[in-house]
Amino acid sequence: MGYQGLYSPGVNLHRSPFGGRNFEYYSEDPRLSGVMAAATVTGYRDGGVYAHLKHFAVNEQETNRQGVATWLNEQALRELYLRPFEIAIKDGDAQALMGSYNRIGARWSGGVAELNVGVLRDEWGFDGHVVTDFFFSNTMNVDQAIAAGMDLIESNTGDYPHEETLESTDGLIALRLSARHVL
């Protein structure tokens, strides 16, 4: 198709010195992380490559990360953990994101429409595509992901939208939006 993409850069924060992905995230400072990510995205784009900012959002550990619950309030989420993504999207014109496995509170991050549509698309004006991290059907749900604004399911498990999604007006609208974002 003539397009290249990298699942990079990782722009979560160093929330703990034990974070399993700290080697791939820039820093504990949201502004510094965002500025560095924006520059990386711009460099990738200049080379003809899509940067997939990851892991959206609040990915904080590597071991047992499928379904881990991350607890924080909205103020900390917005001022700290979403800020690097926002800067990379607005200043670096990022066009692709990768979701995360974790739960924010009790909800899987890929199934939170308030995050993936409300903040990402409505507030920040993001018009690119969002892909799940590798899909595990025991902690993630395809229908929930599509309804919450995820566009691509990274999977080899054969998990597809259920008939209820494919036969409902809301489900078909969500699928059409996903296709638009990818194209």
Side-chain angles (χ1 to χ4, degrees):
M1 300 293 299
Y3 295 97
Q4 298 293 322
L6 287 174
Y7 290 147
S8 169
V11 295
N12 283 291
L13 299 181
H14 295 183
R15 190 170 187 196
S16 159
F18 303 109
R21 290 285 178 114
N22 282 352
F23 69 91
E24 139 176 64
Y25 299 148
Y26 293 113
S27 79
E28 70 284 350
D29 180 81
R31 176 84 180 136
L32 177 62
S33 293
V35 169
M36 292 176 72
T40 301
V41 168
T42 300
Y44 285 3
R45 188 180 54 255
D46 290 349
V49 176
Y50 275 95
H52 288 77
L53 301 172
K54 64 179 190 175
H55 296 96
F56 192 67
V58 199
N59 184 68
E60 65 174 340
Q61 72 182 43
E62 185 63 17
T63 304
N64 300 318
R65 68 186 175 130
Q66 288 113 20
V68 66
T70 305
W71 297 94
L72 71 168
N73 64 29
E74 184 177 354
Q75 181 178 358
L77 178 67
R78 286 178 175 275
E79 290 179 3
L80 298 173
Y81 302 104
L82 295 182
R83 187 76 176 123
F85 290 95
E86 181 181 13
I87 293 168
I89 288 166
K90 290 181 175 179
D91 296 350
D93 193 30
Q95 294 297 309
L97 268 80
M98 174 188 273
S100 60
Y101 289 134
N102 61 291
R103 298 182 182 286
I104 298 176
R107 298 168 61 196
W108 167 50
S109 62
V112 179
E114 296 87 352
L115 177 66
N116 299 311
V117 177
V119 172
L120 182 61
R121 296 191 187 283
D122 295 344
E123 289 183 27
W124 298 348
F126 179 77
D127 195 33
H129 69 270
V130 184
V131 60
T132 65
D133 203 338
F134 194 82
F135 195 83
F136 291 96
S137 57
N138 60 335
T139 58
M140 304 158 117
N141 180 287
V142 172
D143 298 294
Q144 184 183 32
I146 293 167
M150 300 299 274
D151 302 309
L152 295 168
I153 310 299
E154 184 185 347
S155 175
N156 66 357
T157 63
D159 290 310
Y160 301 103
H162 295 92
E163 285 184 29
E164 298 81 27
T165 295
L166 296 173
E167 293 177 358
S168 75
T169 302
D170 289 342
L172 292 175
I173 289 170
L175 287 168
R176 183 178 294 153
L177 278 172
S178 292
R180 182 184 160 277
H181 295 146
V182 171
L183 295 174

